[in-house]
Amino acid sequence: MNNVVNMKPELALELTDVHKKFGQTAIIRGVNLSISKGERHALIGPNGAGTSTTFNLISGRFAPTCGRVLLNGKSIAGKQPFEINRMGLSRSFQITNIFHRLSVFENIRCEVLWSLG
């Protein structure tokens, strides 16, 4: 006889009933998402579907209007993007601008200088 243990996979990321409003306009209305450790997922949709806003909520650029976002079982509500990054979640952007004739160090230096104004 096999002993089957019904274990839930450990979640890396969990969004529960997440909403985001800008003023009176509801952009995200009740997103639920569970991603187990070791899994990879893609979030796709047409312009205006809320994919960028969802990534901004996960990465800490925006705070949810309501709902919860958990990273490795811990709430990331109110945390800054750099704090979330230190907890193990990194974000990369779709559009990259590099200078092909510069070294990697010089490209990073340009980005840092640009971000500082």
Side-chain angles (χ1 to χ4, degrees), residues 13 20 32 58 65-66 68-69 72 78 93-94 105 109:
L13 181 66
K20 180 62 180 171
N32 292 291
I58 293 169
T65 303
C66 66
R68 68 181 187 164
V69 181
N72 296 318
F93 292 88
Q94 183 176 354
F105 174 79
R109 191 170 113 193

Side-chain angles (χ1 to χ4, degrees), residues 90-106:
S90 295
R91 178 180 180 178
S92 63
F93 292 88
Q94 183 176 354
I95 299 171
T96 58
N97 294 316
I98 61 172
F99 299 102
H100 296 283
R101 292 186 179 165
L102 298 182
S103 69
V104 171
F105 174 79
E106 291 167 325

Side-chain angles (χ1 to χ4, degrees), residues 27-43:
I27 303 299
I28 303 294
R29 300 178 200 107
V31 169
N32 292 291
L33 175 68
S34 296
I35 299 176
S36 298
K37 290 189 177 190
E39 290 183 344
R40 293 184 183 185
H41 289 258
L43 182 62

